[in-house]
Each structure stands twice: as structure tokens, then as C-alpha cells.
Amino acid sequence: MSTELESTRRALREAVAQAGRAAELARLLDAAQAKLATAERSVEEARALSEQLAEAEDRLAAEQAAADKLRKELAEQRFQAEVANWKLSSIKVARWNRLGDAIKSGKSNPIRLAKGLRGASRPVKRPTAPKRRPVSAAKAKEERPGVAFQATSTTRTVGGASFRLKPFRVPTGPNTRPHLTAAVIADPHAEALLRYEWRQTTGFTPRDFARVLPLEVPHLLVVESVTQGPWAEEITGEPGEGLKALLAWCGERGIRTVFWHTQGDVAAYARAAELFEHRFTTDLSVAWPRLQFGVQPRVHNPLPLAGGRIDRVLTLDQLLPEHLSYPDVLTSYRWPAAADCPPGTPQWRLAELAACGTSIGTEPDDRRAHVAMRRAYGMGTMTERIDELLEAIGLPSARATLNTSVLLPIMDPFLMEHALAQVARQSGVDQLIVIGPPETELRARDVLPDVEIVYRRPHPAMTEGAMLAAGIDLCEADLVAVMDPRDVYGAHYLSDLRRAFLFSTADIVGKAAFYAHLRKPQATLLKQPDAEYAYLPEIAGATLLARRNTLRELGFADLTEGWDEVLMRQCRTDGVKVFSADRFGYVRVRDEDRWLLGAAHLVEYGSAEPHALI
């Protein structure tokens, strides 16, 4: 009996406990339903606010259009008033009007009449007719890439010491593909890499894209896996309505859409990425086509800061504190003597540092920095990456090339083999214009089987300048190089020199800083070591690489010695920009040269090639 009673009591206790839990569950359910109702009301309120905001934006656009119309009407009224004043002034100074005034005022006084007629007969300058002036918008949008993308932080603090910098000036062009327009949603780093590759539209939001993008309808849409900004929530997890609307807008107009995964877990973006026509990734573990970061020559280049580098090796944390914007990062890249980067530093960061000519390691080393820069560019520039992207999605990638023709005048038959061997070392030579002895043509075709050979036999009294003048009209490539058969050129000479056209605005590139070797004293010299990566009045003629059309317009003087001095003088007269690149890859070879001995630094007695050819 007691056992049954105990079982009944236990059952009652469990029933009471279950009833308590049920009551708690009911309370929690009521609270959840109340929160859900509140959330639904918040959603409705947010939707209503969004609609109000859209209406406000539409009203603002309409008011701006009305303001522009009023501004134009006011400008027209001012112009018409100016025209009326001009007509009135013209009538007043007209001779017939002045004669009439003289007759009217002097009809009762013959002396006054004579003076008035004499004055009226003199010519008077008529007022200048007014011209319509263009009506400027309330705020004109600057279209050049990089114009609003400038460094703002001018000081750095290292070890408690404060340093004031002259920031790197981010260039505003040129644009690689001005015929192509891209709408881009990207973080500042990716945006900086892309902005020079096409005409770029950024800054639009899920609310205003339908108003912004029609101003210049893009050829493609590129969306990076952004982590901040108004689009971040649209592309993570379940795709947002704004993203769907944007892609639908692009689909209606045949605009190609590209998703570029550069950061974060790809699974977070997978649902949104499925809505795009094309998907690319920087992650080797993701089974999408690759689109890696590349250096952007417009901003990742060895152009120095105005104040030069400090004589310090900085760690990456000292060099790049967290508060820096990307334009300020571009300044920091150029600041230290060397950057000590820890293991695990992203490859793209190392490539950007190296492309800016900064030594990576615990000690500065110019030679190692130059090789690292060459390697960074060799891994691929952003221009080459975009070529791959456009080819994959079916858009043309027309742009200027760096194809090269070489002008090689050979005046001494004994230099033929040496001269052809120097050209054969080079990469990227499309055409060789060789002017020399008759046997040069067949030998050039043997040594350079994959290069177009154009041979001309010189007249007996022809100067070197005359040879070059005859050869320039035969060149077909975009760039023309002049090589001296006496000198030594490294295997990377032309490829290093061509690189300067990617980041400079010069029409002629060459070397004002270079190594020289004098055979008689067996001396190796270094000419103007401080003349690297700078716009200068002149460079050595034997290192000249120029745009073909510029060289044709300048021409060559009919001289053997000094034709390059005349050419540089003409550049200064015509305002042609001349850029001096690095000091490596070339050795000027002479038996003796008193001018060089007085103008260059002695490096050592011995061969120059170990110093120059890296």
C-alpha cells in the first residue's frame, strides 16, 4: 500500500514538474511570438523607411534636375542681358550715332560742331561680343582614376620618434582600356588594383544603383567578396534583394556579371555567387577559375618619395600600422631602407613591396631589391590578370602593347658577332632592323630565327645617325630600341627597360645611371648613381627605348658621335619627357674615355659585368 502511495506521489511530482516546464515553454513561446511580432513591425517600418528614402532620393534627383534647368535658364538670361548691353554699347560708339550727337549738340555753336565732328570721325574700338559660357554642374564628378584616391597621413611614428613624410602622389592615369566601362563593388585594396584598367564606376548602393549606373551603362559588373559597406550583407548568406535587383538590371541589358572571391570563407558567399554568370577566386582550394592579385604598375613601382628613404629597416608592423588607408600604405611601401617581413606574410603583400623597389629582409640590398622587383612583375601585373578575365567572359581586351623593334647600326664588321649576340639575349624583340656589312643579314637570321629581320646595306660614307634615320621608317613595333654594337647588354635589359613605360608618362626611356668599363686601365665605373627612376634632361643614346611615333617626329642628326646629345636637346625644346630607369643590365665599353673618368665613380679595377648584369 505504501509502495503504491509512493508511486502515486512520484507521479504527481513528475506531473507537476512537467506542468511547470510546459508553463515555462508557453511563456517562452509567448515571448518569442511577441519578439517575432516586434521584428515584423520593425521590418515593415524599415521597408516603409526604405520606400520613403527612395522617394526622397527621387525627389532630390528631381530637385537637382530642376536646379540644373534653372541654372541654365539663368545663364541664358544673363547672356541675353550681356548681348543687349553689348548692342547698346555698339550703337553708342557707332560713327553715325556719334556724328548725330555732334550735330545735335553743336547746331547752335559752329566751333562746338567742328570739334564734335572731328571727334566723331576718329575710329573707336567697338566692344567685344559676349560668348556663351558652359554651365557647370553644381558638383562636377572627376572621372580620372585616382583623383580622389590620395594619401592623407603625413606622419609616421617609429620607436617613439615622429617622422614627417611627403606622401606618394597617386597618379590619375593613364587608363589602360578607356573604351571599357566596369561597375565595381570592391574593398579599397582591390579597387586600387582595378581603377586603372578601365573606366570604373564605384560608390553606388543597393538603393541608388538604378539611378547611378544608367549615367554610363557598364560593359560588365565585378563584385568582390567585400567585408564592409552597403553590399556586404547583400552577398553573404542568403542573397539580398538589392543584389538580386542589381543582377536583374544587368541581365536585362546584357551586362556580364563577375563574382571575385578574394577573402573570407567561400561558403559564406556561395549562394550569392551562384547568381553571377562568372565566378573567380584567389583561393587555390576552391574549384573556380583563378584570378589572383597582380601588381598594379601605376601605384606599385619604384618611383621614390620626394624626401627619399630613411636609413632604417622596419618590421611590417612598424611600416603598416592598422589605421592607414591604402593610399597611405602606398607611401609607406617606399619609405624604409628595407622591410623585415615575418613568415606567413601574404604573397601579394610581398609582391607589392618588391614592386616598389623596397628590399625585403634584415638588410638593404639594391641588387636583391631589383631582382625581387623583376620577379614581382614577372608573376603578373593586374593588366595581365584583366586580360585573362576579359578573355574568359568574352569581352575584347584591346590595349597598347610593348612590342619592340631594335635598331642596330654596325659600322665595324668585327663587331657583328658581338652585336647580334647582345640582341639574341633579349626577350620580347619582334623585329630587328640591322644596317651593316653584307654578311650581317644571313648571320642575323641564323642567330635570331624567331625575329623578323630587316636588312639594309649602308652607303660607305654613312654616319651612325644617318643609319638610324634610315632605319626608323622601317620599324613597325610600338617601341623602338637603339643598341650600340660596342656595348654589353644583359638578358633582362629590354624587359627591365620596357617596364618603365607601365608606370611613367615618358615617351623616351633609357639610363642616365649606368656602369662603364674602360679596357686600357681595366677600370669599372658607375655613372650618376643617383639618377635612377627620375625624369631627367638626357639619357645615354645606346640605352634609348622610345615610342616609335615620337622618335619619327624627332629624327636623328647626321652624326656618328653626338647624335644622342642633339636628340636630347630636341626633346627639351619640344617638351618630350625623358625618364631614366635603373642602372643595371647595361655596360658601356670603350678603350678609354676621359669624359667618363672625370664624371663617374670608380667601382674597381676589373670586369663590370658582375656588378651590372643581374
Side-chain angles (χ1 to χ4, degrees):
M1 187 70 177
S2 60
T3 304
E4 293 179 357
L5 182 60
E6 185 61 29
S7 298
T8 301
R9 287 175 178 171
R10 190 182 304 115
L12 286 172
R13 283 196 299 270
E14 290 177 357
V16 170
Q18 288 178 358
R21 286 196 294 271
E24 180 64 17
L25 287 173
R27 187 185 64 78
L28 293 174
L29 180 60
D30 291 340
Q33 288 177 340
K35 289 181 179 179
L36 180 60
T38 303
E40 289 176 348
R41 286 195 299 273
S42 298
V43 168
E44 290 297 329
E45 291 173 359
R47 186 178 294 113
L49 289 173
S50 177
E51 292 174 355
Q52 291 175 7
L53 180 59
E55 291 175 0
E57 288 176 343
D58 291 340
R59 287 197 301 272
L60 178 61
E63 289 174 0
Q64 288 176 341
D68 290 340
K69 183 179 179 181
L70 289 173
R71 193 178 295 109
K72 291 178 181 178
E73 291 176 353
L74 179 59
E76 180 63 22
Q77 290 175 3
R78 286 176 177 169
F79 174 70
Q80 294 299 337
E82 290 174 358
V83 169
N85 288 331
W86 168 72
K87 288 180 178 179
L88 179 60
S89 300
S90 299
I91 291 173
K92 288 181 178 179
V93 300
R95 180 173 296 180
W96 60 268
N97 187 68
R98 287 183 289 119
L99 286 172
D101 289 343
I103 292 171
K104 182 178 179 181
S105 62
K107 62 182 179 180
S108 59
N109 188 330
I111 297 176
R112 184 184 296 173
L113 176 62
K115 288 182 178 179
L117 292 176
R118 221 173 14 250
S121 63
R122 295 194 189 107
V124 177
K125 186 178 179 180
R126 297 174 65 87
T128 304
K131 295 181 180 179
R132 275 193 172 88
R133 291 182 290 271
V135 181
S136 59
K139 185 178 180 181
K141 183 181 178 182
E142 180 57 77
E143 296 293 343
R144 294 177 299 166
V147 74
F149 188 76
Q150 299 297 337
T152 57
S153 179
T154 59
T155 58
R156 301 289 187 276
T157 302
V158 177
S162 181
F163 298 86
R164 188 170 184 83
L165 305 181
K166 291 185 177 180
F168 170 68
R169 180 71 180 174
V170 179
T172 57
N175 193 313
T176 304
R177 303 172 187 83
H179 64 283
L180 197 64
T181 300
V184 174
I185 299 170
D187 284 340
H189 176 221
E191 187 180 328
L193 300 180
L194 297 173
R195 63 174 63 243
Y196 301 96
E197 299 304 325
W198 41 42
R199 292 175 61 83
Q200 187 157 290
T201 301
T202 58
F204 53 93
T205 68
R207 296 191 301 271
D208 64 6
F209 74 85
R211 178 168 55 85
V212 174
L213 296 185
L215 299 177
E216 185 175 4
V217 178
H219 298 91
L220 74 159
L221 168 72
V222 178
V223 178
E224 187 201 9
S225 50
V226 293
T227 58
Q228 55 188 354
W231 291 98
E233 294 184 0
E234 295 282 333
I235 64 174
T236 52
E238 187 66 27
E241 295 299 322
L243 177 65
K244 293 178 181 177
L246 173 61
L247 295 176
W249 187 90
C250 291
E252 292 169 359
R253 291 156 179 80
I255 298 169
R256 290 168 172 80
T257 57
V258 174
F259 184 80
W260 188 20
H261 170 243
T262 61
Q263 56 192 326
D265 185 0
V266 71
Y269 304 101
R271 297 291 299 276
E274 291 175 357
L275 304 178
F276 289 76
E277 294 177 278
H278 305 276
R279 289 164 291 279
F280 297 88
T281 183
T282 59
D283 191 338
L284 299 178
S285 65
V286 179
W288 292 350
R290 301 284 177 270
L291 181 62
Q292 302 290 352
F293 287 133
V295 296
Q296 174 51 263
R298 302 286 191 271
V299 294
H300 304 138
N301 56 59
L303 292 176
L305 295 181
R309 296 180 182 271
I310 60 168
D311 189 20
R312 290 196 184 192
V313 177
L314 302 180
T315 66
L316 204 58
D317 290 339
Q318 291 173 322
L319 186 64
L320 303 174
E322 293 183 358
H323 69 277
L324 292 183
S325 66
Y326 195 70
D328 294 312
V329 168
L330 297 174
T331 297
S332 290
Y333 279 164
R334 293 165 165 79
W335 185 44
D340 185 8
C341 301
T345 302
Q347 189 62 42
W348 62 264
R349 178 76 77 188
L350 295 174
E352 290 183 1
L353 267 168
C356 292
T358 300
S359 292
I360 298 176
T362 56
E363 294 181 0
D365 187 324
D366 290 345
R367 293 166 59 83
R368 191 175 64 211
H370 184 76
V371 172
M373 177 174 61
R374 182 188 295 156
R375 189 180 300 118
Y377 273 85
M379 292 168 59
T381 65
M382 209 60 211
T383 298
E384 293 166 333
R385 297 283 189 261
I386 296 304
D387 283 344
E388 299 168 4
L389 167 69
L390 295 175
E391 182 179 358
I393 68 175
L395 283 176
S397 179
R399 61 180 177 87
T401 70
L402 298 179
N403 297 340
T404 306
S405 296
V406 173
L407 278 175
L408 185 65
I410 302 177
M411 303 187 74
D412 184 348
F414 293 102
L415 293 173
M416 179 188 69
E417 289 293 340
H418 173 79
L420 293 176
Q422 304 310 303
V423 180
R425 286 181 175 185
Q426 309 305 315
S427 61
V429 176
D430 298 276
Q431 183 188 43
L432 171 63
I433 313 298
V434 59
I435 304 173
E439 62 271 21
T440 307
E441 180 177 10
L442 292 178
R443 187 59 185 144
R445 297 188 190 282
D446 290 340
V447 175
L448 298 152
D450 299 325
V451 175
E452 178 190 352
I453 306 296
V454 178
Y455 170 75
R456 290 294 183 271
R457 186 172 182 175
H459 301 301
M462 217 172 186
T463 65
E464 184 175 346
M467 290 182 179
L468 295 172
I472 186 63
D473 290 331
L474 302 173
C475 295
E476 297 179 354
D478 294 334
L479 301 180
V480 175
V482 175
M483 295 178 67
D484 192 314
R486 297 172 290 181
D487 297 336
V488 175
Y489 297 85
H492 301 283
Y493 164 75
L494 269 182
S495 58
D496 282 352
L497 211 55
R498 277 194 298 263
R499 188 183 308 127
F501 283 100
L502 298 177
F503 56 80
S504 75
T505 56
D507 290 314
I508 294 179
V509 169
K511 295 179 186 291
F514 56 85
Y515 288 92
H517 182 70
L518 304 183
R519 290 194 186 97
K520 285 189 177 181
Q522 284 295 301
T524 289
L525 309 171
L526 177 56
K527 175 81 178 344
Q528 297 185 143
D530 296 329
E532 293 182 291
Y533 302 119
Y535 294 94
L536 295 175
E538 59 184 31
I539 47 92
T543 67
L544 185 143
L545 180 65
R547 299 192 188 278
R548 180 188 59 189
N549 292 338
T550 299
L551 212 50
R552 280 179 172 170
E553 291 174 2
L554 291 169
F556 293 94
D558 189 5
L559 299 168
T560 293
E561 295 294 334
W563 63 264
D564 52 344
E565 295 177 11
V566 176
L567 181 67
M568 293 296 104
R569 191 158 55 244
Q570 190 63 45
C571 288
R572 293 192 290 273
T573 301
D574 295 351
V576 175
K577 281 188 175 182
V578 177
F579 185 79
S580 174
D582 59 88
R583 66 179 182 268
F584 300 108
Y586 166 74
V587 180
R588 180 172 181 167
V589 180
R590 300 291 183 271
D591 288 335
E592 57 183 352
D593 192 321
R594 292 182 180 178
W595 175 79
L596 261 180
L597 280 172
H601 303 282
L602 178 65
V603 177
E604 69 170 5
Y605 288 99
S607 174
E609 294 188 14
H611 299 278
L613 308 187
I614 58 174

